[in-house]
Amino acid sequence: MVKKLLNVSIQTKILGLVTGLIIFVIGLLLGVFTYFDTQQIYSNKKDLSLQTATTLSFMPTVSQVLEGEESYSELQTLSERIRMQSGANFVIVQDKFGEVISHPNQERVGDVQNFEDGYKARVFGGYYYLTSEEFLGKSIVGKAPVYSGSGSVSGVVTVGYQVKNIKLEIMERMRDILTFSIFVVIIGVLASIFLARHIRKDTMGLEPREIATLYRDRETIFSSMNEGVIATDGNGKVTMLNEAAKDLLHLSDKSLNGYLVDIMPTVHLDKIISKEKQSISYERYLNNRFIILTIAPILEVDRVLGTIITLRDKTEITEMVNALSEVKKYSEDLRAQTHEFANKMHMISGLLQLEEYEEAFQLVQEEVAMIDNYNRMIFERIKDSKVQAILLGKISKASEKKINFDLEKGSFLSELQSHIEVTHLTMIIGNLIDNAFDEVLNQSERYVTFFALDIGKDVIFEVSDNGSGIPKTKINDVFKPGYSTKYSDVQRGYGLYNVKNKVEELNGSIEIHSDERGTIISVFIPKINLGGSV
């Protein structure tokens, strides 16, 4: 039974509830009105019966008839006229002996009826009303004495309203009210049907239980999504915000019911809400994260009611791409080194085939001397194997690009602390050297110098070049994502941005000094990590 009630449609529920409520209220009001109206009618009949009886008792014709000065017919005519004017059911006049001298039934005139309810009027001369069955059934009657000229009671006037006629009058009044009530109920039923259909239209034909199920499912889905979701209305006001969006944008519950422009000032929905009819996606840098925004309008026919914005964190993907880019760079460095040595081996092989043994021997000596020089320069001053590997790869790359790459005198680097990982070094040192190589490519003489030192509390890496330098107005922009002096808008640069992020991960700092003679970029990394000394 309960299950059946739960499956009743909202239209039936509203119709039943509204109709029941209207019937209950009308029934209650009808009962209250009937009660007070009945009391009022009975009170009016009592007052009117007494007033009519009193008025008739003071008329001279009545006293004259009772004293024998007028005929009974005169009193009968007068009584009947008074009865019709007052709406009474009967007017009866008795003399002091109880003889009926005026009665609505002519056959009763002359009958003698003892005073029962009229005793107080006959004996004491009292004026009063009461419910009596003395004459024509149960009636509300008014009693009034008739005084003679000598001041004695010469008769009694009785004016009555039969209770059955009063009830008929009440029923007549209630019938009119009931007719009006039925009309109101019909209007209420029609209004409830209209209301139910309107509500059903607003709920897109869904029942409340279905809406509740959708709401629970939506909350569960949104809370379990890794992507952030923000919903707005047509005015850009935030109507929904899941936990992932709060985490991505560092928001609190206070942001709900706020405006999107306060949360993401760089995202403007005006064009999308007014013109776009399909979803669009683009990338934004928000809260030190690369976030892919997908904005889809909420449409009803051709009207835009709001937007749904999904946010996907691209930071991890970007870091992976950057790592792969670094691997690609070192692969290219190895390829360059292999290519250079292959060329030299081909040359030596050719010289030997031509029996130019002295030139071949001289070429081998020069190569060995150069390798010994580089090895001595790197392995004597740089003790960390990770940095050694990076520098050896860059030396080959510099040789292929015809760049004079040198390790500055005075450099010295011991084995680095464990919190400075190889990914940090490849990202920091590799990007700084590659940027320096790119800066000097347009120079007739190309010089890049690397300096490393770990004396003191910090590890210092410094890369200098003789490139054209960075304008002072652009120095603060070089660490922003997408900034590049060598790429177009299509191919953006993230090298120095990645360097800055890795340095900040190590709680370090970075400085740039640049002029028209070249650029020097210095990196300072503390030897103590967040967990303490190493």
Side-chain angles (χ1 to χ4, degrees), residues 418-429:
S418 60
H419 72 282
I420 305 176
E421 300 175 357
V422 64
T423 55
H424 297 132
L425 295 173
T426 54
M427 190 69 71
I428 296 171
I429 298 176

Side-chain angles (χ1 to χ4, degrees), residues 26 29-30 33-34 37 41 167-185:
I26 290 178
L29 294 177
L30 186 61
F33 178 80
T34 301
D37 193 46
I41 290 175
K167 290 181 177 179
L168 289 174
E169 181 181 349
I170 293 172
M171 291 300 295
E172 187 70 22
R173 289 170 61 88
M174 292 305 103
R175 184 176 64 183
D176 295 338
I177 296 174
L178 186 61
T179 302
F180 177 75
S181 300
I182 293 173
F183 176 74
V184 172
V185 170

Side-chain angles (χ1 to χ4, degrees), residues 283 314 481-494:
E283 183 178 329
K314 190 185 172 185
Y483 176 83
S484 176
T485 58
K486 57 184 179 295
Y487 294 130
S488 64
D489 289 338
V490 176
Q491 186 180 6
R492 309 297 290 173
Y494 292 93

